Amino acid sequence: QVDVVESGGGSVQAGRSLILSCVASENTKSINSMAWFRQAPGQDREGVVSIDTDTGSTFYADSVKGRFTISRGNAKNTVYLQMSMLKPEDTAMYYCAAGVSPWQGLAPPSEYEYPHWGQGTQVTVSS
């Protein structure tokens, strides 16, 4: 059983920054990748960034490239999402997910690659 817990959401004005944190509890040898997804009201869930927890390799969706940065914590199963230059369209529920399959970094993360999910943390950006 893998428990995933996000924290750090909130409400900010456009142009400001937020940092989200995610911790996945489990035998650290079994988690190979972690990712952040987001879902705005009435929209499909979108994979925005993923990271290979062994190498630190990353993938960013075009919608966040240059503004968001994912990084690993000291523990393999901890990641952070630094969100800068936030826009109103970044408003969504943000979900952290952990995967046990080899990291695939050629495309935005897919829900099907990540079997373990957190409950989500809300990010609201006002104009």
Side-chain angles (χ1 to χ4, degrees):
Q1 180 68 32
V2 176
D3 294 320
V4 180
V5 179
E6 310 98 334
S7 61
S11 297
V12 296
Q13 289 187 320
R16 303 299 291 270
S17 301
L18 275 177
I19 299 177
L20 305 183
S21 301
C22 175
V23 179
S25 65
E26 173 60 319
N27 183 327
T28 57
K29 293 182 180 179
S30 67
I31 295 174
N32 292 312
S33 61
M34 296 181 75
W36 287 95
F37 294 76
R38 67 184 182 185
Q39 187 168 23
Q43 303 292 320
D44 292 334
R45 190 171 296 184
E46 173 192 16
V48 295
V49 59
S50 65
I51 187 168
D52 183 320
T53 53
D54 287 322
T55 66
S57 297
T58 57
F59 179 93
Y60 295 92
D62 289 342
S63 57
V64 304
K65 192 176 297 181
R67 300 187 300 120
F68 289 13
T69 302
I70 188 171
S71 60
R72 297 175 293 175
N74 290 331
K76 179 182 176 182
N77 58 344
T78 301
V79 295
Y80 303 98
L81 184 65
Q82 168 78 48
M83 304 185 295
S84 303
M85 296 181 287
L86 283 163
K87 305 175 181 180
E89 50 263 44
D90 293 318
T91 295
M93 184 71 78
Y94 282 71
Y95 298 91
C96 181
V100 298
S101 300
W103 177 73
Q104 300 292 334
L106 300 179
S110 166
E111 295 182 47
Y112 304 103
E113 298 170 340
Y114 295 87
H116 307 293
W117 290 77
Q119 294 299 307
T121 184
Q122 178 68 37
V123 172
T124 302
V125 184
S126 59
S127 58

